[in-house]
Amino acid sequence: MQLSVNFPKGFKYLPEFLSPEEQKELVDTLRHLVKKAPLFTPVMPRTGKPFSVRMTNLGTLGWVSDRIGYRYQIQHPETNQPWPEIPRSLQNLWNKVGDCPVAPETCLVNYYAATAKMGMHQDRDEKTFEAPVVSVSLGDTAIFRLGGIKRGGATQSLKLNSGDVVALGGDARLCYHGIDRILSGSSSLLKGGGRLNLTLRRFSPF
Ligand code: MD6
Ligand code: FE
């Protein structure tokens, strides 16, 4: 059990937000969308070091990283096609938990194989921070690390299981966070194992 009293203001933790049936339906939907917009391996700006996660995007804009830098762009970097639309079920989820009067513009889809992780970072490539970032976890459990808005401060660790939703909004919008590791084999939702994380965002002010 998590002690939510210790969460920063603006951080939402909604365990088991999606039922097992809703999770399966969402994975089926995503499987079709990822055929149109395949997962790609981003690389770090300047060094070109590959990320351990593979990613794609949905929506009118998608987040990419390559040797040039991090940015949002309207097309897939390999197919050069526009990103597929954000499915209705995810738009509805945003409406329920996002506390935001306008629709999300982008959904970043990250796939973690057993050994993938994500370093501590802030989500700050958006033009506005007035909307939250809403995250959905599917598949294997992840060890999520949440810090404060300054790098190097105190952090806490929490398990994100399949179907859990978290949001970084308000005062927590720029909190540092990362994924320490994946508990391989903890879920049978994804054929072949691993974890999907979906983050819904706004880029544009409203
Ligand atoms: C992950 N999540 O769960 C990585 N970002 O795989 C994120 O980077 C994240 O969970 C912004 C808001 C919520 C998140
Ligand atoms: Fe993030």
Side-chain angles (χ1 to χ4, degrees):
M1 193 49 191
Q2 291 294 328
L3 291 171
S4 58
V5 285
N6 290 326
F7 288 148
K9 197 163 161 280
F11 179 79
K12 277 191 198 177
Y13 169 59
L14 305 168
E16 296 179 61
F17 188 84
L18 295 179
S19 69
E21 293 70 33
E22 289 171 319
Q23 294 171 44
K24 282 193 197 95
E25 243 172 71
L26 184 50
V27 169
D28 282 342
T29 303
L30 291 167
R31 193 171 289 120
H32 286 106
L33 296 173
V34 166
K35 277 183 192 149
K36 294 195 241 174
L39 293 166
F40 59 93
T41 301
V43 300
M44 290 297 291
R46 297 182 304 280
T47 63
K49 183 180 185 284
F51 283 46
S52 63
V53 298
R54 292 193 293 147
M55 61 177 59
T56 189
N57 289 272
L58 309 171
T60 53
L61 285 171
W63 186 87
V64 300
S65 177
D66 59 19
R67 281 180 177 274
I68 300 166
Y70 305 135
R71 66 187 172 279
Y72 280 93
Q73 64 181 41
I74 60 176
Q75 82 283 17
H76 189 288
E78 292 176 354
T79 68
N80 296 315
Q81 295 301 301
W83 309 101
E85 273 181 37
I86 299 173
R88 174 56 43 199
S89 58
L90 288 175
Q91 308 231 18
N92 292 343
L93 185 148
W94 170 273
N95 292 338
K96 281 188 220 159
V97 309
D99 257 332
C100 181
V102 290
E105 292 172 294
T106 176
C107 177
L108 173 62
V109 178
N110 281 151
Y111 175 73
Y112 295 74
T115 59
K117 49 196 174 25
M118 179 156 321
M120 292 294 278
H121 66 277
Q122 291 172 301
D123 288 32
R124 55 177 312 150
D125 298 319
E126 300 72 29
K127 217 190 303 181
T128 180
F129 302 135
E130 60 192 321
V133 178
V134 174
S135 143
V136 182
S137 293
L138 294 167
D140 285 340
T141 298
I143 309 295
F144 180 80
R145 183 168 294 281
L146 178 65
I149 55 180
K150 290 201 186 113
R151 182 182 280 285
T155 66
Q156 60 187 306
S157 174
L158 94 145
K159 279 186 185 176
L160 295 182
N161 297 315
S162 194
D164 292 355
V165 168
V166 301
L168 296 184
D171 295 344
R173 176 62 182 74
L174 291 175
C175 281
Y176 277 89
H177 58 279
I179 297 292
D180 289 344
R181 66 192 183 94
I182 301 299
L183 305 184
S184 185
S186 50
S187 162
S188 56
L189 182 70
L190 303 182
K191 291 203 259 301
R195 170 175 184 262
L196 282 171
N197 177 254
L198 315 174
T199 44
L200 294 154
R201 305 130 188 265
R202 282 289 302 182
F203 174 78
S204 318
F206 44 92

